[in-house]
């Protein structure tokens, strides 16, 4: 059987009954030796890696849905789906599956979904009982039909049989005709039965039935049936809402009729799932998994169709950024993009990347600058949602845009400054929009998601940009409220408490890679840019101490030495301690906050701050005895000082001892210059036997030859030789002679190496000469003598 490759997306169903995209690739059906059978293989189109390897099990139930989907379960809680780009590809793979299982490819499901107990009972049933006989579709049979539909829901095999019967006989359309008759006759009892019937058919969880029920011809009647819940005194008016209240607005006319129909269908089916159907019980929660899949794949198809229509998107952006576009039209355009971005979350990662890159190329970020500055709260909220999608997708893309924008625009109209101003000026008492914007701002200035390449370091570039162009906007309210020693309570406590807790707590030591010159006091506190943001919202109240303490406590909580050095250099503890002393013995929030600040420093043992506080302020604080915090800081300081002194003393002792050891070693060398000890070492290389200077080598060679003639070797014992040399002239004159160490492994009679020993031999050599000792294993007496003799440290002469 030849391989057939088709482009597919692989999905798995997660614990929340949502489909997760596992990637795009090409599917083939082939025999896999390891699995011992025909299998479905999907290889990624990007790198050829294996996305899926699944054996076509003869007993697995495969379902074909919507002409381009194949869904099956490989384990109790592991559902898989293949979404084909082309119907032909789906049909071909479906034929392969059916061929393995011996099924007719015209079926929509290859196996009955039954559990073990059902299977046992099913095997005992006669062949004639395989079909469910449906009652005739008449008004007086509605109760019987409702009982039948309700009774099969607990049995997987009976659900499958009923679904097949409903599909084959065109039963659903007949039921909907009865619904119209019941409404005309105001037959309430019949309408209640129809509610149970249609609800039960939805719980059959069959895609083929959904395609009938959610068609343009039938869907509104299905919604009508679901209005007549017997538990309600009065029927709901869902159809009235869908046809009159919910208006389909085309910001740009959609000419593709298939796309229009898909949008209408998806909205209505989502409404059925979210609004009409009651929350399923634990027993029912798996009944609507196919309905969830139906909506999911519809959304994927809608986004793909819109994204491929470049003319449509270009026209939308042109109107969005056109100054002549009225506010109502722009509001509709923004809401469209919000829904569009929300739908895009269903795309696979590669397609989602392409989607956002397309939006960026068309100018979504400049457009957001315009709409985020509008007075319309609804528009600003939608624009914030769009901005959050973009930041979540690629913070680097947003950073790059704002840095390029700064080269052409004033600081006041930069996108990131518009975001800061909207955060500060949020009028919502719950600060919903402000908190959302704070989170986005924190993501943008978080160094951990900044790129570092060989050509540029985004971390330093963007943070430099932010401190130079944006920090004065962020700190303007703080400076405004402290310029006259006054502080605004509502603004400071509500806004800055949240903003700085979000912005100033990145969980990383980002400042170490930030140039200190870019975070100067001029950039933060002494900015010459005057920005008064929302002055009308800033009434003055004397509550500044608590707000400033929260900010300082947050910074110290980072335990970042960069900030600690900034605090000590600027002597920023002085106003804190003055506030504590001015507060006197009053036990209030200010007192507790200051004490907690110093207690944190003590417990966390922040040494630089502890030393700064004790050395500069302890005399002023030692009188505070109702807590042990300051005495504890002094103790920590003294302990650390003692440790440092001990380290210093130990270092000095070690250095002195080293000098004494070296001096003693040299002295021992001088005392032993007449008898160098030759320790066994590995045989030296020939090039190591020669002095560096060639002339000295030649002189040494001549001296050695003359000495060899005068001192012939004498055999001291069998197999051993002892070399004795007379003192050279240099030794007689007091010149240091050099001892050279050589190690030669003695050979045994059979040529193998044996244990080497050091023989104490009296040898003196001229400067630069080599003395070698040959030791043989049969020299036992000298071996025993050497074991007890101390080994001198070898020293190589220069």
């Amino acid at each position: 059987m030849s391989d057939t490759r088709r482009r597919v997306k692989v999905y798995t169903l997660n614990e929340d009954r949502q489909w997760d995209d596992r990637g795009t690739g090409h599917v083939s059906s082939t025999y896999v030796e390891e699995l011992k059978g025909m299998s479905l293989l999907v290889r990624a189109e990007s790198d050829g890696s294996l996305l899926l390897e699944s054996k076509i099990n003869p007993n697995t139930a495969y379902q074909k849905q919507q002409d381009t989907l194949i869904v099956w379960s490989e384990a109790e809680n592991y559902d898989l789906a293949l979404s084909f780009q082309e119907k032909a590809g789906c049909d071909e793979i479906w034929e392969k599956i059916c061929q393995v299982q011996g099924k007719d490819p015209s079926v929509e499901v290859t196996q009955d979904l039954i559990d073990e107990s059902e299977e046992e009972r099913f095997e005992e049933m006669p062949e004639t009982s395989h079909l469910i006989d449906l009652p005739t579709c008449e008004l007086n049979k509605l109760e019987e039909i409702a009982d039948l539909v309700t009774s099969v829901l607990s049995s997987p095999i009976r659900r499958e049989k009923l679904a097949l019967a409903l599909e084959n006989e065109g039963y659903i359309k007949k039921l909907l005709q009865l619904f119209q008759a019941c409404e005309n006759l105001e037959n309430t009892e019949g309408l209640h039965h129809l509610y149970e019937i249609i609800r039960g058919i939805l719980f059959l969880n069959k895609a083929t039935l959904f395609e009938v029920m959610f068609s343009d011809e039938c869907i509104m009647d299905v919604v009508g049936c679901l209005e007549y819940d017997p538990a309600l005194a009065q029927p709901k008016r869902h159809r009235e809402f869908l046809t009159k209240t919910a208006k389909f607005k085309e910001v740009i006319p959609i000419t593709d009729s298939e796309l229009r129909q898909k949008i209408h269908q998806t909205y209505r089916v989502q409404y059925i799932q979210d609004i009409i159907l009651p929350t399923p019980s634990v027993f029912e929660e798996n009944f609507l998994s196919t309905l969830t899949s139906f909506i999911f794949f519809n959304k994927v198809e809608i986004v793909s169709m819109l994204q491929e229509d470049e003319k449509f998107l270009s026209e939308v952006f042109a109107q969005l950024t056109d100054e002549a576009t009225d506010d109502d039209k722009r509001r509709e355009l923004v809401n469209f993009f919000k829904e569009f971005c929300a739908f895009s979350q269903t795309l696979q990662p590669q397609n989602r990347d392409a989607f956002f890159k397309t939006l960026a190329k068309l100018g979504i970020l400049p457009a957001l600058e315009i709409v985020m500055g509008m007075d319309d709260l609804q528009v600003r909220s939608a624009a914030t949602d769009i901005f959050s999608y973009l930041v979540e997708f690629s913070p680097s893309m947003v950073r790059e845009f704002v840095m390029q924008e700064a080269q052409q625009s004033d600081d006041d109209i930069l996108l990131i400054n518009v975001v800061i101003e909207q955060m500060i000026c949020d009028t919502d008492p719950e600060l919903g929009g402000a908190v959302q914007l704070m989170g986005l701002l924190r993501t943008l200035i978080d160094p951990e998601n900044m790129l570092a390449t060989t050509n540029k370091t985004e971390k330093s570039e963007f943070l430099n940009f932010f401190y130079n162009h944006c920090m004065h906007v962020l700190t303007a309210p703080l400076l405004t409220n402290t310029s006259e020693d006054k502080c605004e309570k509502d603004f400071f406590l509500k806004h800055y408490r949240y903003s700085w807790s979000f912005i100033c707590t990145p969980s990383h030591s980002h400042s170490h890679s930030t140039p200190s010159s870019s975070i100067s006091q001029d950039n933060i506190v002494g900015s010459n840019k005057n920005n008064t943001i929302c002055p009308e919202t800033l009434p003055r109240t004397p509550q500044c101490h608590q707000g400033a303490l929260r900010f300082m406590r947050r910074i110290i909580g980072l335990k970042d030495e960069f900030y600690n050095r900034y605090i000590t250099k600027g002597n920023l503890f002085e106003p804190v301690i003055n506030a504590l002393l001015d507060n006197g013995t009053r036990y209030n929030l200010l007192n507790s906050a200051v004490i907690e600040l110093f207690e944190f420093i003590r417990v966390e043992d922040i040494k630089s701050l502890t030393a700064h506080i004790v050395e500069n302020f302890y005399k002023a604080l030692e009188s505070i005895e109702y807590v042990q915090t300051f005495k504890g800081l002094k103790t920590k300081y003294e302990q650390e000082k003692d440790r440092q002194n001990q380290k210093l003393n130990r270092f000095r002792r070690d250095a002195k001892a080293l000098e004494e050891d070296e001096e003693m070693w040299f002295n021992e060398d001088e005392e032993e210059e007449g008898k160098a000890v030759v320790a066994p070492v590995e045989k030296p290389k020939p090039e190591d036997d020669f002095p560096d200077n060639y002339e000295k080598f030649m002189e040494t060679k001549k001296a050695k030859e003359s000495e060899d003639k005068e001192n012939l070797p004498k055999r001291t014992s069998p197999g051993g030789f002892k070399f004795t040399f007379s003192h050279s002239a240099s030794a007689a004159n007091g010149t240091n002679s050099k001892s050279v160490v050589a190690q030669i492994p003695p050979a045994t009679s059979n040529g193998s190496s044996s244990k080497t020993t050091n023989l104490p031999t009296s040898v003196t050599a001229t400067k630069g000469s080599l003395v070698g000792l040959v030791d043989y294993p049969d020299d036992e007496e000298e071996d025993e003598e050497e074991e007890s003799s101390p080994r001198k440290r070898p020293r190589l002469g220069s």
Side-chain angles (χ1 to χ4, degrees), residues 246-473:
K247 298 292 184 180
F248 177 61
K249 296 180 180 179
E250 296 178 78
V251 291
I252 301 294
I254 298 176
T255 57
D256 189 338
S257 59
E258 182 183 356
L259 176 58
R260 288 171 57 90
Q261 186 273 335
K262 189 70 67 176
I263 293 173
H264 285 301
Q265 183 188 62
T266 304
Y267 177 78
R268 291 165 180 169
V269 176
Q270 187 86 61
Y271 183 85
I272 290 174
Q273 184 186 48
D274 295 343
I275 305 300
I276 299 179
L277 291 178
T279 303
S281 64
V282 175
F283 174 73
E284 300 170 336
E285 64 181 0
N286 293 329
F287 286 174
L288 295 176
S289 60
T290 304
L291 182 61
T292 302
S293 303
F294 186 94
I295 296 170
F296 173 84
F297 291 114
N298 263 18
K299 289 181 177 180
V300 171
E301 193 171 351
I302 290 170
V303 174
S304 300
M305 294 173 73
L306 284 173
Q307 187 179 353
E308 292 169 2
D309 191 344
E310 295 183 0
K311 183 179 178 181
F312 175 83
L313 286 180
S314 298
E315 181 63 24
V316 172
F317 271 101
Q319 292 197 24
L320 186 63
T321 56
D322 189 352
E323 295 181 359
T325 303
D326 60 64
D327 291 347
D328 291 338
K329 182 68 172 180
R330 187 172 281 113
R331 185 184 306 114
E332 293 176 0
L333 291 166
V334 173
N335 286 328
F336 162 77
F337 269 115
K338 176 185 173 181
E339 293 298 320
F340 197 23
C341 290
F343 272 33
S344 73
Q345 301 306 297
T346 62
L347 293 174
Q348 57 185 333
Q350 307 97 296
N351 290 348
R352 188 162 61 247
D353 291 352
F355 169 79
F356 281 110
K357 288 177 181 177
T358 300
L359 293 187
K361 184 178 179 181
L362 291 171
I364 186 65
L365 289 169
L368 285 178
E369 268 185 346
I370 298 174
V371 295
M372 289 188 77
M374 295 177 62
D375 295 333
D376 192 313
L377 182 60
Q378 186 180 12
V379 170
R380 292 206 308 268
S381 176
T384 300
D385 290 336
I386 298 171
F387 187 63
S388 68
Y389 285 120
L390 295 170
V391 172
E392 179 183 355
F393 161 68
S394 175
S396 294
M397 181 184 73
V398 179
R399 295 188 196 107
E400 184 177 358
F401 168 78
V402 296
M403 285 192 291
Q404 291 177 354
E405 183 189 27
Q407 301 173 6
Q408 305 171 359
S409 307
D410 295 334
D411 288 356
D412 294 344
I413 61 174
L414 294 180
L415 174 60
I416 196 166
N417 285 341
V418 172
V419 170
I420 294 172
E421 291 178 6
Q422 293 298 326
M423 176 187 76
I424 293 173
C425 298
D426 186 13
T427 57
D428 180 8
E430 300 297 327
L431 300 177
V435 170
Q436 183 181 8
L437 290 170
M438 292 167 199
L440 297 176
L441 184 60
R442 177 183 176 182
T443 301
L444 288 174
I445 64 175
D446 184 354
E448 284 302 304
N449 60 43
M450 295 183 183
L451 303 177
T453 64
T454 55
N455 298 327
K456 65 174 185 177
T457 304
E458 187 183 34
K459 191 179 295 186
S460 60
E461 288 184 5
F462 182 76
L463 290 179
N464 273 328
F465 159 83
F466 184 80
Y467 285 115
N468 289 325
H469 296 275
C470 308
M471 184 57 82
H472 67 281
V473 180

Side-chain angles (χ1 to χ4, degrees), residues 485-530:
D485 294 328
K486 294 182 179 180
C487 193
E488 184 277 315
K489 180 178 180 180
D490 291 336
F491 175 86
F492 208 99
L493 296 185
K494 291 184 180 179
H495 288 70
Y496 268 77
R497 175 174 56 188
Y498 290 107
S499 63
W500 286 108
S501 67
F502 272 79
I503 295 168
C504 296
T505 54
S507 56
H508 359 270
S509 55
H510 58 273
S511 53
H512 298 298
S513 57
T514 304
S516 58
S517 60
S518 67
I519 314 178
S520 65
Q521 192 167 353
D522 291 337
N523 286 334
I524 300 177
V525 178
S527 173
N528 58 3
K529 304 183 185 219
N530 295 321

